[in-house]
Amino acid sequence: MQRTDLSHLLDISRQFQIHGEILHAEPCKVGHINETYTATYDQGGTQVRYIHQRINHEVFKDPAGVMDNLLRVTTHLRRKLAEAGVKDLTRRALTVIPTNDGASFHKTRDGEFWRTFVFIERVRTFEAVETVAQAFEAGRAFGEFQSLLVDLPGKRLAETIPHFHHTRRRFDAMVAAAQSDKANRAVTAKAEIEWALKQENAVDTVLDALAKKRIPERITHNDTKFNNVMLDLDTRKAMCVVDLDTVMPGTPLYDFGDMVRTTTSPTMEDELDLSKVKMQMQMFKALARGYLGTAGKFLTKNERALIAFSGRLITLTIGLRFLTDFLKGDVYFRVHRPQHNLDRCRTQFRLVESIARQEEAMQKFADGL
Ligand code: GN1
Ligand code: MG
């Protein structure tokens, strides 16, 4: 639910270093967590747009840490892109507009956290992949993002949501939610709970590899949904990846896995016709080519060996989170209809099955790249 009215947004907008008058603002309905608005200003007789966004501080308990990460990351990206001679920098990396006090976010008296970005024009995002070229671009963009951050200077990034992709914890949370059954919904999700319990053997693989240092910790995006890639309207190439709140230490496998989850099925995350949900090999191939073409430079053999599995793992993990939220009464993800989280869970579990059937072939293809 978007809760901010225009007069409140007007107050917010005055806190940032934006010249000109706000003309109007519209809520952006995409995204399950934060509240986002596109605001149009008159600036020197031209209309210029900005993004105002309220950070959900129930989810991101340390908004200052989020913004500190975000500034370090975007500053570094911009510097590296500039060094490489890239033009159009405000369309290639998010640009934070400071508050009047020079801070990266504004905290209201009621304890809301707001930030402002340059609006990137002449791009669009898609909720589901339509072409193999798009899948390739998604892989290329997130691979490049990770590559550019390999040499980020300074201390370890803050963990903006601790244990975010910790599948073991997500699994246990689902079991606990099913047992306590606070919203009386376990009966409705009986089949999904039973199915999920049978997946337990997958949950520790990547965690164990990390713990035993067979794979390294790296800086990763952690929310590599296809709708977080902005594609240029004319060239159709990826310009910028957005939604940087969960950029933190992780494994690139989590990122690649979430790309498989969101780029290989032709369906939306909440598709009701489960027969349409499937991992399409030609999409995977394009995605893997795009991703390994950029990230292949730094990935190790052990990381590469888990590439196909990562798709199954993250799809399972997000499915478990949707199921948990359904069982708890929709306390985390924004929902737009009854059983929305259960519908989302079902598509994820269906996709896990589809990936599992093709996992060997997927890995074989990736090994050949
Ligand atoms: C959330 O809000 P959005 O759409 O960027 C979630 C992701 C999930 C995704 C599922 C901070 O992302 O982890 O994969 O929904 N983000 C957070 O669509 O929990
Ligand atoms: Mg997000």
Side-chain angles (χ1 to χ4, degrees):
M1 212 190 344
Q2 308 275 340
R3 282 175 303 185
T4 305
D5 58 30
L6 189 62
S7 75
H8 184 46
L9 210 58
L10 212 73
D11 287 343
I12 302 295
S13 73
R14 291 201 190 96
Q15 310 302 322
F16 293 91
Q17 294 184 31
I18 299 177
H19 302 286
E21 261 164 71
I22 189 166
L23 300 174
H24 51 91
E26 288 80 39
C28 166
K29 295 204 180 66
V30 184
H32 303 331
I33 310 290
N34 293 322
E35 249 182 82
T36 309
Y37 298 84
T38 305
T40 306
Y41 289 72
D42 179 284
Q43 205 168 74
T46 313
Q47 296 200 355
V48 178
R49 298 201 276 180
Y50 291 91
I51 293 285
H52 296 302
Q53 192 171 48
R54 180 177 167 195
I55 305 173
N56 180 334
H57 65 274
E58 301 283 319
V59 168
F60 296 102
K61 308 238 187 277
D62 174 20
V66 168
M67 291 311 289
D68 188 49
N69 280 5
L70 200 147
L71 275 188
R72 282 177 60 196
V73 163
T74 52
T75 306
H76 186 72
L77 290 176
R78 225 180 342 271
R79 189 173 59 74
K80 301 259 302 208
L81 290 167
E83 277 168 16
V86 173
K87 300 276 179 289
D88 221 5
L89 286 176
T90 49
R91 296 180 76 227
R92 296 300 307 276
L94 283 180
T95 310
V96 175
I97 303 291
T99 66
N100 298 326
D101 305 332
S104 59
F105 64 92
H106 169 70
K107 185 175 179 187
T108 68
R109 260 187 243 119
D110 298 337
E112 296 177 356
F113 293 86
W114 286 86
R115 62 184 170 196
T116 298
F117 297 107
V118 167
F119 183 92
I120 303 181
E121 298 285 356
R122 303 190 313 282
V123 290
R124 68 163 287 196
T125 56
F126 296 79
E127 289 307 299
V129 168
E130 291 168 2
T131 64
V132 284
Q134 288 178 346
F136 177 87
E137 282 301 305
R140 189 182 66 74
F142 283 119
E144 181 184 88
F145 180 85
Q146 292 175 348
S147 306
L148 292 172
L149 291 174
V150 159
D151 59 351
L152 180 81
K155 62 179 197 307
R156 190 171 180 263
L157 288 176
E159 281 187 50
T160 59
I161 302 182
H163 313 297
F164 190 52
H165 286 305
H166 197 296
T167 315
R168 166 54 64 186
R169 284 177 187 248
R170 298 296 191 182
F171 182 87
D172 291 349
M174 187 284 293
V175 174
Q179 269 161 7
S180 60
D181 196 17
K182 289 238 169 58
N184 265 317
R185 291 176 169 185
V187 57
T188 316
K190 189 167 175 285
E192 287 72 24
I193 296 168
E194 279 170 7
W195 183 91
L197 290 173
K198 291 193 204 123
Q199 311 304 311
E200 188 171 3
N201 61 359
V203 308
D204 296 314
T205 309
V206 167
L207 292 165
D208 282 351
L210 275 170
K212 296 194 177 118
K213 300 206 182 313
R214 286 200 301 270
I215 59 172
E217 178 183 279
R218 301 183 189 276
I219 296 170
T220 50
H221 182 286
N222 296 305
D223 191 4
T224 55
K225 275 164 89 163
F226 183 55
N227 70 3
N228 282 331
V229 183
M230 297 198 146
L231 299 158
D232 187 279
L233 285 184
D234 302 323
T235 66
R236 302 183 182 195
K237 300 258 182 266
M239 292 303 286
C240 186
V241 305
V242 298
D243 196 355
L244 307 183
D245 299 331
T246 50
V247 178
M248 59 179 157
T251 152
L253 292 167
Y254 294 151
D255 281 1
F256 187 74
D258 208 21
M259 289 178 232
V260 173
R261 179 180 85 83
T262 60
T263 65
T264 64
S265 177
T267 50
M268 309 263 264
E269 197 171 65
D270 57 1
E271 171 65 54
L272 289 166
D273 182 352
L274 293 181
S275 72
K276 292 186 184 151
V277 177
K278 50 179 166 293
M279 202 306 291
Q280 304 170 100
M281 192 55 100
Q282 84 275 18
M283 292 296 178
F284 176 80
K285 287 182 174 172
L287 174 73
R289 255 189 262 114
Y291 179 66
L292 291 174
T294 42
K297 294 187 281 249
F298 66 83
L299 291 178
T300 63
K301 204 166 125 260
N302 287 348
E303 288 173 308
R304 291 181 79 121
L306 290 166
I307 276 281
F309 172 73
S310 76
R312 172 154 65 94
L313 180 73
I314 289 300
T315 309
L316 172 67
T317 309
I318 311 289
L320 288 170
R321 291 174 59 199
F322 287 141
L323 179 54
T324 306
D325 201 35
F326 175 73
L327 292 168
K328 285 177 144 181
D330 310 319
V331 293
Y332 186 91
F333 296 106
R334 191 177 296 139
V335 290
H336 306 287
R337 62 178 188 241
Q339 300 207 7
H340 206 167
N341 274 315
L342 185 59
D343 294 339
R344 290 168 175 154
C345 154
R346 286 179 172 147
T347 60
Q348 303 309 294
F349 288 177
R350 178 56 72 98
L351 189 56
V352 168
E353 292 177 324
S354 177
I355 295 171
R357 279 196 296 276
Q358 303 176 76
E359 205 170 308
E360 242 182 79
M362 290 160 74
Q363 187 62 41
K364 203 164 159 216
F365 178 80
D367 289 344
L369 290 176

